[in-house]
Amino acid sequence: MDRIIRATAGEDFIKMSVIDARDTVQRAREIHNCTPTAAAVLGRTLCAASLLGNMMKEDNGSVTVRVSGGGPAGTVIAVSDSQGNARGYMDNPAVSLPLRADGKLDVGGAVGRDGMLTVSRDIGLREPYVGSTALASGEIAEDLTAYLLESEQVPSACGLGVLVDRDTSIRAAGGFIVQLMPGADEKLIDLLEENIFMMDQLTTILDEDGAETVFAQVLKGLDYHIVSREPIAYRCGCSRERLAEVLSCVDRAELEDMISQGQDTEIRCDFCGEQYVFTPEDIQALMEA
């Protein structure tokens, strides 16, 4: 079962979240028929959104992470609720690039570096809070770290990874965010930096040892305690009723044109691929309503 685990350390000056999201990313790969490179791009973005969503204090809030770097992957979008349940899509799930020189999937090359990472937080107000930062590498984790420091003034470190097996299934996926609270001792910063530099590859830890070992390596030398373990999943909130609301907002002339053609209108959810069919009679009823 996918989950997000949260912990504190350093007399509560350090807060850390770890996500294990293999099934979530596998579901996204299947829905969008992703290549291995695309699965890594979308999977990292889903994990980022899920971690940010789970950190929200508002029960009915949501977070949208949008990555657009000008690369062949196109725009990538992931949305999470305040529990960490996420959904997402990308413009080009068929993107495929040669492996990097180190043998890893070229996420940065697929995303590109000429663009922005944008985070939108909806906490129930009239307008969402939107912050963005220029992409640093297109690798998602480094870009999210830069966003948290520049837009939210929170010193943070982030790691994200997706391990694709030889049969293109997702073998491991997840990540972490560790943050320093105001007043943290400089020695804590130095220790965390050293631990993160020395830690094993993230996807290897998730695949072989499990999510809780990420805490042991990042927080090595510190006493920490787990404060929560919460299940998460790939979850889309679409429904026929919601899409009917969207359809009812279409220009009246366009709706009349749909009716005059006498054919059913199919609407596909970008997030989960579900198809919804509206007959000319359905559209007429929407107009009358």
Side-chain angles (χ1 to χ4, degrees):
M1 177 184 292
D2 289 353
R3 55 187 177 155
I4 291 178
I5 309 171
R6 299 171 68 177
T8 61
E11 298 180 344
D12 292 342
F13 281 108
I14 297 174
K15 293 185 178 180
M16 183 173 172
S17 298
V18 175
I19 181 172
D20 185 350
R22 189 194 71 83
D23 292 345
T24 297
V25 177
Q26 173 67 18
R27 178 67 179 136
R29 188 198 70 80
E30 293 170 350
I31 290 172
H32 301 292
N33 194 26
C34 293
T35 63
T37 302
V41 171
L42 182 56
R44 290 187 190 184
T45 310
L46 282 167
C47 289
S50 186
L51 284 167
L52 293 178
N54 185 261
M55 292 162 62
M56 296 184 75
K57 297 178 181 178
E58 296 78 14
D59 290 340
N60 296 317
S62 66
V63 170
T64 300
V65 176
R66 179 186 181 96
V67 182
S68 184
T75 297
V76 188
I77 295 177
V79 183
S80 172
D81 61 23
S82 57
Q83 285 73 51
N85 302 299
R87 60 192 185 276
Y89 70 92
M90 60 191 296
D91 286 343
N92 183 18
V95 61
S96 182
L97 297 177
L99 297 176
R100 300 185 331 195
D102 59 4
K104 295 182 179 180
L105 294 169
D106 192 0
V107 171
V111 171
R113 299 167 181 83
D114 184 18
M116 307 291 289
L117 180 146
T118 302
V119 177
S120 175
R121 298 178 185 271
D122 186 347
I123 59 175
L125 302 178
R126 180 173 296 181
E127 297 291 337
Y129 167 78
V130 180
S132 61
T133 186
L135 291 175
S137 68
E139 295 286 337
I140 313 299
E142 294 92 334
D143 307 304
L144 181 59
T145 298
Y147 163 79
L148 290 169
L149 180 60
E150 294 174 14
S151 294
E152 301 194 3
Q153 288 79 53
V154 181
S156 309
C158 177
L160 299 167
V162 175
L163 179 61
V164 183
D165 216 336
R166 292 185 178 183
D167 63 357
T168 73
S169 66
I170 305 303
R171 183 164 175 174
F176 69 86
I177 292 178
V178 57
Q179 297 185 310
L180 288 167
M181 299 298 103
D185 193 305
E186 289 288 335
K187 293 180 180 179
L188 291 178
I189 300 176
D190 295 339
L191 180 59
L192 288 175
E193 288 180 345
E194 181 179 356
N195 287 347
I196 292 172
F197 179 76
M198 296 298 295
M199 71 182 290
D200 296 330
Q201 186 169 311
L202 176 62
T203 51
T204 300
I205 299 173
L206 293 171
D207 181 38
E208 298 180 0
D209 303 307
E212 295 198 21
T213 304
V214 180
F215 289 106
Q217 293 205 15
V218 174
L219 302 177
K220 183 178 180 181
L222 296 169
D223 291 330
Y224 66 92
H225 64 277
I226 305 296
V227 296
S228 67
R229 293 182 176 86
E230 301 177 45
I232 57 104
Y234 191 99
R235 185 171 299 169
C236 183
C238 74
S239 66
R240 183 177 176 82
E241 291 72 23
R242 286 193 176 187
L243 289 181
E245 291 179 8
V246 173
L247 193 59
S248 67
C249 295
V250 172
D251 182 77
R252 186 177 182 86
E254 189 172 345
L255 292 177
E256 290 174 345
D257 183 56
M258 293 178 185
I259 294 172
S260 67
Q261 292 181 17
Q263 298 178 350
D264 292 346
T265 298
E266 292 188 1
I267 301 178
R268 180 182 183 276
C269 174
D270 286 334
F271 291 107
C272 69
E274 186 72 26
Q275 296 272 7
Y276 295 89
V277 178
F278 293 86
T279 65
E281 291 76 19
D282 293 332
I283 297 175
Q284 182 65 49
L286 286 175
M287 292 179 60
E288 294 174 355

